[in-house]
Amino acid sequence: MAGTTVITFGTFDVFHVGHVRVLNRAAEFGDRLLVGVSSDQLNQAKKGRRPVFTQDERMEIISNVKSVHGVFLEESLELKRQYVEEHGADILVMGDDWSGKFDHLNDICKVVYLPRTPSVSTTAIIEHITTIA
Ligand code: C2G
């Protein structure tokens, strides 16, 4: 496909402004943004809890973000190279909580880390709701 393809990954549970900003900023690096949405099982393994929203719901939400052109399920952190190749991605964009973690993919794509939006996180939102409920 002509043009620059950008790829990014995340759980995007309890979708918030930090999520929409990283997607919009990622999209600015190219012509087409593809998003690997972490599966429920991967999230359970990675964070030790089930996401609030299921993988199907999270994929539906992300696919309706204006700057996103396509979504797919990310089933393992170790499959990044395969996903980048399969989707012909030119640039991998990740939040800087992952800084340095995917530099080994520099041989097949450019790797960019973007600063996280301060003071907002899914965990803080869940805690907040739990407190006021
Ligand atoms: N993010 C951000 N600012 C925040 C919170 C999140 O910029 N305040 C970004 C993260 O840096 C990430 C994206 O939003 O790029 C999705 O965040 P998470 O859902 O927490 O992603 P994570 O569970 O870390 O999954 O393969 C990697 C994983 O799938 C990433």
Side-chain angles (χ1 to χ4, degrees):
M1 176 166 310
T4 302
T5 299
V6 182
I7 199 166
T8 192
F9 295 85
T11 309
F12 302 102
D13 192 25
V14 189
F15 195 73
H16 60 64
V17 73
H19 294 146
V20 81
R21 285 184 191 160
V22 79
L23 292 174
N24 289 347
R25 282 182 293 157
E28 285 171 13
F29 283 81
D31 304 298
R32 194 167 85 105
L33 174 64
L34 302 179
V35 183
V37 176
S38 300
S39 69
D40 292 339
Q41 211 182 358
L42 172 56
N43 200 255
Q44 178 77 52
K46 208 169 54 173
K47 298 186 180 167
R49 66 169 165 78
R50 213 159 27 93
V52 173
F53 294 116
T54 65
Q55 60 194 40
D56 290 346
E57 291 167 332
R58 291 180 286 111
M59 287 210 287
E60 187 176 337
I61 292 166
I62 301 302
S63 66
N64 279 286
V65 173
K66 258 194 282 182
S67 55
V68 172
H69 298 89
V71 296
F72 63 92
L73 199 61
E74 179 195 31
E75 302 202 68
S76 162
L77 294 181
E78 279 69 48
L79 291 176
K80 283 250 169 11
R81 178 173 292 273
Q82 190 182 308
Y83 293 133
V84 167
E85 284 175 343
E86 249 172 40
H87 295 284
D90 304 290
I91 307 180
L92 167 65
V93 174
M94 297 295 297
D96 64 2
D97 39 330
W98 292 91
S99 217
K101 295 268 170 24
F102 301 112
D103 288 355
H104 58 281
L105 298 176
N106 258 318
D107 59 334
I108 53 165
C109 63
K110 188 174 164 188
V111 182
V112 175
Y113 303 97
L114 296 178
R116 279 169 69 91
T117 299
S119 317
V120 57
S121 72
T122 297
T123 309
I125 294 169
I126 293 171
E127 276 167 17
H128 180 77
I129 294 170
T130 314
T131 328
I132 59 172

